Amino acid sequence: MHDEGPDPHDAASWSPIDSREWYEAREAAASLRDVLVAARLERDFPYLRADLNAFGQGFIELGRISPETAERVAYLLRLALACPQDVKSVGGSPNRSSD
């Protein structure tokens, strides 16, 4: 019985790479990375990464940024808020509805 390999449901053999939450976090981080590259901010977010917490919930870590980078991000967000567009037309999240 023990020569069949590890039980896929055994907590000791669980891998975060096998979870839906990991892939969702990874895809979200990649999407954010692409936008940061387009805004020429990729070097300002060296700690950007996808991760899972101890409960298996996915999250994106942005890391520390300089005050100048925070001001640039705030400016870009204000600019985006001032130009309402259909979220789907700019590659936004399909889960977010536009008012």
Side-chain angles (χ1 to χ4, degrees):
M1 286 266 188
H2 292 297
D3 353 22
E4 296 176 13
D7 178 7
H9 302 293
D10 180 13
S13 67
W14 177 82
S15 170
I17 295 176
D18 297 332
S19 71
R20 175 183 51 84
E21 292 82 5
W22 165 248
Y23 283 101
E24 287 174 354
R26 188 173 150 214
E27 288 174 19
S31 179
L32 181 55
R33 178 203 61 216
D34 294 345
V35 172
L36 291 170
V37 168
R40 291 186 272 159
L41 288 169
E42 69 273 14
R43 292 182 182 211
D44 297 316
F45 287 86
Y47 302 107
L48 176 67
R49 66 187 183 109
D51 206 346
L52 293 179
N53 66 12
F55 303 103
Q57 299 165 323
F59 66 93
I60 310 306
E61 183 163 345
L62 300 176
R64 294 183 289 179
I65 59 173
S66 70
E68 295 83 12
T69 300
E71 287 294 331
R72 172 102 167 119
V73 170
Y75 169 77
L76 292 172
L77 288 171
R78 282 192 299 272
L79 189 63
L81 289 171
C83 300
Q85 296 181 6
D86 181 14
V87 174
K88 291 179 184 174
S89 71
V90 293
S93 170
N95 299 329
R96 196 170 158 209
S97 63
S98 57
D99 295 323

